[in-house]
Amino acid sequence: MATSNLRILLRFGTGGTPVVPTKTTPPAPTLSYKKRTSEQLLVIVGAGAAGVYASIRAKEIAPHLNVLIIEKGKPLSKVKISGGGRCNVTNGHFLEKIRLAENYPRGSRELRGSFFNIHGPQDTMHWFSDHGVDLKTEEDGRVFPVSNNSASIVDCLLNEANKRGVTLQTGKVVTDASVSDNGKFLLKVEKRTVDLVEYTEADYLLVASGSNKQGYAIAVHLGHSIVDPVPSLFTFKIDDTRLTSLSGVSFPKVKARLKLDNVHRNTPELTQVGPMLITHWGLSGPVILRLSAWGARDLFISNYKGMLFVDFAPDIHIEEVKHILFQHKDDFGKQKVNNSFPVEFGLVKRFWRFLLEHESLDGDMLWASVPNKHLSAIAQQVKQCPFKVIGKGQFKDEFVTAGGVPLTEISLNTMESRVRPNLFFAGEVLNIDGITGGFNFQNAWTGGHIAGTTIGEFASNYCQKLQAGG
């Protein structure tokens, strides 16, 4: 693609569909990054987990490679806020690649190859430990710094990048990308706060911009397609005002099944087991977040409306639930139903009263007075309590999207584009997303490591050819 094609503007219409309007001729390039002609330049778009990790790895293999990261906002901003400010680095319970890949609604099939064998959770944990960050694995498998402070991770990455000579420019956006006649990438860089436009020529380009539209635009400019991005990892808004009084009630283990009108196929992933939390707007917790991830596209098509059926005693058969209730009636007939209920279900008093209200039972009545038909109905509520989903909330600040550059258009062994040589992608810009629990960061570490390794090797081979007079 000639330099005259540089000013290709890209807009996003409804649904994130790229639209390429008329091309115009740019002004003469003014290169913003100076380097010696004998050395090559890698430009990384995005200073997130994947981009910074890749920069360190590339410089480790090819110390003389110039590496420039361009970031619109603050570097590693998502790392800083993740895990409630603690940073859920990875997951330590899924070390075998097949089981690990099962935690990715988009990418589960493709990631079963060599991807995690090249750099998996253990490699990530060893890397941070070797660089002075002590880690701990919690009971559910989530891995955090012992400090319980994401600054430990952020400072480690930025210090290592700085030590290796990576250049970081913030407050700038790559607004256009093309390929010059010499095969190099010509990037238009804008700093809109001062109305500054620069041009940078790069030998290698790594797009690691997360779910930012900027990365999708660059990908399209350079010949890639985009799977329309939709939200993933979110909470459910529920149409039931009575839940407000239950805000904060949690359940260590429920089985939740999501039913959507537009989904008629058998989708096992739309049934999940795990902890659940009631909030003032609806339902949250790991089991809900997993459902939101696996059902991301179907929920988007359904306008985030459907029915959720929750089993609050997943390890007890419904007939056993009925038996327990009938037995409790026999044993505690002279006690009020508000004050006495079976401990086998693991329910708190506030939620028990919610079940009673659902059956219009007076909490002051005695157990002996409760008709068996009402006990059967309560058993049904315990095993299959319906909640009407009317929308989505956001999972704190840990926003994740499903969509991006299709995995068929890159090589997961190298992270290089199959469309354009020396173009690489890593992280959430790809059509990969994981459930909650450290899996999205592991995708970033692995992709960044592989991309950095490949680029570093390319640059090292280039230097060797120069030295050999090739």
Side-chain angles (χ1 to χ4, degrees), residues 348-366:
V348 298
K349 191 172 185 177
R350 273 199 289 166
F351 188 72
W352 173 251
R353 289 180 174 178
F354 170 82
L355 294 177
L356 295 178
E357 291 172 8
H358 191 276
E359 293 303 313
S360 301
L361 290 175
D362 183 354
D364 289 329
M365 71 186 303
L366 300 180

Side-chain angles (χ1 to χ4, degrees), residues 391-410:
K392 67 175 181 64
Q394 186 168 318
F395 177 43
K396 298 180 181 178
D397 297 304
E398 301 181 40
F399 187 73
V400 175
T401 57
V405 177
L407 297 185
T408 54
E409 296 181 4
I410 69 158

Side-chain angles (χ1 to χ4, degrees), residues 266-289:
N266 181 27
T267 309
E269 292 83 5
L270 292 186
T271 297
Q272 293 288 326
V273 176
M276 191 180 78
L277 171 69
I278 297 179
T279 69
H280 65 276
W281 67 84
L283 300 174
S284 184
V287 73
I288 300 300
L289 297 173

Side-chain angles (χ1 to χ4, degrees), residues 93-104 112 439:
H93 282 182
F94 295 87
L95 303 181
E96 199 276 322
K97 67 177 182 180
I98 300 297
R99 291 192 64 229
L100 179 58
E102 291 172 352
N103 294 282
Y104 294 85
R112 295 183 183 192
F439 301 104

